[in-house]
Amino acid sequence: GAVPPDRPLGESAEILWRRLVAEWDDLADGGCEPRRLVEHALITPACGLVGMGVTQAAHVVDLTGHVAQRVEARALELGLTLGA
């Protein structure tokens, strides 16, 4: 889950993107292939949206989409083919 809905998120997905990249960097330092991390990424909220108001849930979904777009851009930079 790249978007933690249990804390203040702000308006931009930038910090979420930086957190994800930092996690990938840690995994790569531990021996994971960075290209495969991007290739197999599935971006979701960290937990369910139950109990949230519609506006808050929509914001979480919106930020999740923005992070996913950054992952897609990174994949394209790496020359990966997206989709099945």
Side-chain angles (χ1 to χ4, degrees):
V3 181
D6 61 344
R7 64 181 82 149
L9 295 172
E11 294 302 312
S12 168
E14 184 62 31
I15 194 160
L16 301 170
W17 171 247
R18 284 186 279 159
R19 283 186 198 149
L20 178 60
V21 170
E23 290 291 330
W24 283 348
D25 288 345
D26 288 345
L27 289 168
D29 290 345
C32 290
E33 173 59 43
R35 184 180 175 102
R36 289 186 60 105
L37 292 170
V38 175
E39 185 176 40
H40 293 283
L42 178 64
I43 307 303
T44 66
C47 61
L49 304 176
V50 173
M52 289 185 183
V54 172
T55 303
Q56 185 181 13
H59 185 59
V60 169
V61 171
D62 186 48
L63 291 174
T64 302
H66 287 291
V67 174
Q69 288 172 347
R70 297 284 299 263
V71 171
E72 180 180 16
R74 175 68 58 93
L76 293 172
E77 289 171 6
L78 295 170
L80 299 173
T81 302
L82 303 177

